[in-house]
């Protein structure tokens, strides 16, 4: 095994020799941004690939979230989850919207629809759930509530690129969904993002908003922002699409290997796959129950580091624990989210992660376990102990 740090993820890049001719083309054309050829091509190709009506490309996922809220004129209070990346809540703050945190379900860590109704007030205008780790939210229950109370639904689908529910893209639920193509995500354009919309009128409004609100040479229809994706990233994205399915196969292989190794260890839980979902295997989260496992999540996290293996406590701390939000009335309670955030580690997962690394990680965890029946010979552990 190479003596290299194993991080939680490692971005996939397209073959450089395929990118260079595209760069030459862009150099020749001198068209760098503002709806260039690759931008148009990539938007259309993505819509087909994902199985969604309309895609609007963005410079990143956070700007896409902020623009989605602007597009639907969301105001007042928005119900959201504390168990996510901070950008979910920051997008509300940047729009002057009050976040109202609601607790999550204890299995998948998604916003719990059974708790939404109690948090609705006359100020509530929308729900902003997250498909955490790419596991679809309870989309029907959420839509029912939204319909009854007249609320918009915007999904933070930053983890859900390519995920299907009952053979249809999970991005087809809600009023809008946003994607992130950040380097650490399952599909990357270095930085990047998108809004998925369901009708052309909405797409047009989104496209104005991401370009300063400019509708034509002399018309500005809204106080928009600059959130456009450039031609280099769009060309890179076209290539990434070609290799996405192979990357998912690689991720599935690693996921299966982890599951096989960790199955049945007392106090280690991972997420089971639902039969009606096509996953993207974007993360491999495990939840460490300290009482049952005998060691804490942080013990596991630190032990892995001794072997130069870096998991990520994602999501920990909760968004509601950060200084910007901890004073909110809804930041209290949230017991399920609190518990999961203390148990979570995402283990390294990327398409070309070596099988031996997965085996090593499994052995380290097994070795820490109280569960003597599961232990296997650990000679491999000593072979790779790097500090010796
Ligand atoms: C990555 C991420 C974002 C932000 O996306 P960027 O492209 O990095 O701005 C938002 N929400 C979630 C859940 C994310 O994981």
């Amino acid at each position: 095994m190479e003596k290299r740090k194993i991080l939680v993820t490692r971005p996939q890049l397209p073959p450089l020799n395929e990118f260079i001719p595209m760069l030459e083309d862009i150099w020749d054309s001198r068209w760098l941004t503002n709806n260039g050829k690759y931008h148009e091509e990539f938007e259309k190709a993505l819509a087909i690939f994902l199985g969604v009506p309309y895609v609007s490309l963005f410079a990143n996922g956070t700007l896409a979230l902020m623009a989605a809220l602007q597009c639907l004129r969301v105001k007042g209070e928005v119900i959201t989850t504390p168990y996510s990346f901070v950008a979910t809540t920051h997008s509300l703050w940047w729009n002057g919207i009050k976040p109202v945190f609601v607790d999550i379900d204890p299995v998948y860590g998604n916003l719990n629809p059974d708790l939404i109704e109690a948090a609705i007030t006359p100020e509530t205008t929308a729900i902003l759930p997250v498909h955490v780790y790419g596991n679809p939210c309870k989309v029907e229950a959420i839509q029912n509530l939204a319909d009854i109370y007249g609320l918009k639904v915007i999904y933070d689908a930053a983890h859900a690129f390519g995920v299907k529910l009952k053979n249809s893209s999970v991005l087809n639920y809600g009023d809008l969904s946003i994607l992130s193509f950040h380097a650490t995500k399952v599909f990357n354009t270095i930085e990047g993002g998108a809004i998925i919309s369901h009708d052309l009128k909405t797409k047009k409004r989104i496209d104005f908003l991401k370009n300063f609100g400019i509708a034509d040479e002399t018309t500005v229809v809204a106080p928009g922002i600059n959130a456009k994706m450039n031609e280099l990233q769009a060309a890179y994205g076209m290539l990434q699409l070609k290799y996405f399915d192979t990357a998912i196969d690689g991720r599935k292989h690693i996921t299966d290997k982890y599951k096989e190794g960790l199955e049945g260890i007392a106090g280690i839980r991972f997420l089971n796959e639902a039969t009606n979902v096509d996953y993207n295997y974007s993360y491999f989260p495990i939840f460490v129950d300290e009482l049952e496992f005998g060691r804490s999540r942080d013990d596991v996290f630190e032990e892995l580091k001794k072997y130069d293996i870096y998991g990520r406590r994602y999501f920990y701390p909760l968004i509601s624990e950060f200084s910007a939000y901890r004073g909110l009335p809804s930041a209290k309670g949230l017991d399920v989210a609190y518990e999961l955030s203390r148990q979570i580690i995402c283990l390294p997962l990327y398409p070309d992660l070596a099988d031996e690394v997965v085996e090593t990680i499994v052995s380290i965890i097994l070795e820490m376990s109280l569960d003597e029946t599961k232990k296997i010979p650990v000679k491999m552990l000593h072979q790779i102990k790097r500090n010796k």
Side-chain angles (χ1 to χ4, degrees):
M1 195 161 63
E2 276 177 74
K3 288 227 169 192
R4 178 173 68 196
K5 276 190 186 175
I6 304 293
L7 303 179
V8 70
T9 191
R10 192 157 169 256
Q12 284 283 111
L13 278 81
L16 191 56
N17 62 348
E18 291 186 41
F19 193 36
I20 289 168
M22 292 171 132
L23 291 176
E24 286 168 347
D25 189 30
I26 294 168
W27 256 244
D28 283 344
S29 75
R30 305 260 175 144
W31 195 295
L32 303 180
T33 186
N34 289 52
N35 305 320
K37 174 176 102 177
Y38 288 106
H39 179 280
E40 300 304 281
E41 204 179 307
F42 184 38
E43 269 195 354
K44 291 198 177 84
L46 261 182
I48 292 166
F49 186 86
L50 294 170
V52 299
Y54 297 102
V55 174
S56 298
L57 294 172
F58 273 75
N60 61 59
T62 305
L63 283 165
L65 269 171
M66 285 165 56
L69 292 160
Q70 283 283 323
C71 172
L72 301 179
R73 297 183 182 275
V74 175
K75 299 185 180 65
E77 296 178 3
V78 169
I79 290 170
T80 190
T81 171
Y83 192 73
S84 180
F85 181 61
V86 281
T88 311
T89 310
H90 285 349
S91 70
L92 297 171
W93 195 91
W94 277 74
N95 276 294
I97 295 164
K98 184 175 172 187
V100 175
F101 296 114
V102 162
D103 211 351
I104 58 177
D105 83 73
V107 177
Y108 290 100
N110 286 331
L111 191 62
N112 185 341
D114 297 340
L115 304 176
I116 291 176
E117 202 160 20
I120 296 173
T121 78
E123 304 303 313
T124 312
T125 58
I127 308 172
L128 176 58
V130 181
H131 301 296
V132 177
Y133 312 126
N135 286 293
C137 290
K138 297 211 170 113
V139 288
E140 270 140 32
I142 291 171
Q143 193 58 54
N144 270 338
L145 283 166
D147 291 345
I148 293 169
Y149 287 92
L151 306 176
K152 303 286 189 204
V153 181
I154 298 175
Y155 282 104
D156 180 340
H159 297 180
F161 188 100
V163 173
K164 289 185 182 160
L165 181 58
K166 298 184 203 155
N167 293 319
S168 160
S169 173
V170 75
L171 306 170
N172 285 322
Y173 292 89
D175 293 281
L176 298 173
S177 291
I178 78 96
L179 291 168
S180 165
F181 310 146
H182 183 257
T184 54
K185 301 299 203 276
V186 70
F187 175 90
N188 85 79
T189 59
I190 309 171
E191 294 267 7
I195 300 181
I196 310 306
S197 53
H198 309 313
D199 63 85
L200 192 55
K201 261 199 294 192
T202 309
K203 174 179 165 50
K204 277 196 172 149
R205 177 158 163 79
I206 295 164
D207 291 347
F208 295 152
L209 285 171
K210 75 176 190 188
N211 188 31
F212 312 98
I214 295 174
D216 63 40
E217 236 172 276
T218 54
T219 319
V220 171
V221 294
I225 198 157
N226 180 7
K228 301 185 296 289
M229 180 182 279
N230 66 56
E231 282 293 272
L232 278 76
Q233 286 172 278
Y236 176 105
M238 282 300 296
L239 290 178
Q240 293 289 62
L241 264 190
K242 254 173 79 176
Y243 296 99
F244 183 73
D245 288 338
T246 322
I248 295 305
D249 292 344
R251 287 175 172 277
K252 179 171 172 24
H253 169 77
I254 300 293
T255 302
D256 289 344
K257 239 183 130 47
Y258 271 129
K259 286 185 174 172
E260 192 190 318
L262 297 172
E263 180 74 57
I265 303 179
I268 299 288
R269 178 172 78 86
F270 50 79
L271 298 177
N272 287 317
E273 292 180 26
T275 50
N276 58 358
V277 179
D278 293 326
Y279 290 92
N280 63 10
Y281 305 98
S282 45
Y283 299 89
F284 191 76
I286 62 166
F287 300 92
V288 182
D289 181 322
E290 186 172 349
L291 283 181
E292 257 191 87
F293 184 65
R295 306 286 292 277
S296 71
R297 180 275 310 272
D298 287 342
D299 288 343
V300 177
F301 182 69
E302 294 300 331
E303 186 66 18
L304 290 171
K305 279 210 262 183
K306 291 186 192 157
Y307 298 84
D308 262 351
I309 294 165
Y310 294 78
R312 188 169 171 211
R313 291 169 293 186
Y314 191 66
F315 302 104
Y316 163 83
L318 296 176
I319 302 176
S320 48
E321 292 179 76
F322 293 124
S323 63
Y325 307 114
R326 68 188 172 208
L328 291 170
S330 64
K332 312 225 155 33
L334 307 172
D335 298 341
V336 177
Y338 187 85
E339 182 68 16
L340 286 196
S341 73
R342 267 61 189 172
Q343 296 189 344
I344 182 68
I345 311 184
C346 289
L347 298 178
L349 173 59
Y350 43 89
D352 49 354
L353 183 64
D355 283 4
E356 306 86 79
V357 178
V358 178
E359 284 156 18
T360 303
I361 292 170
V362 168
S363 331
I364 294 168
I365 294 173
L366 269 171
E367 184 60 7
M368 295 181 77
S369 161
L370 285 181
D371 194 345
E372 292 295 332
T373 59
K374 289 289 293 180
K375 288 203 176 162
I376 53 164
V378 288
K379 62 178 192 302
M380 193 171 62
L381 263 185
H382 301 295
Q383 281 166 17
I384 57 107
K385 206 152 196 164
R386 283 142 195 258
N387 306 337
K388 304 230 160 120

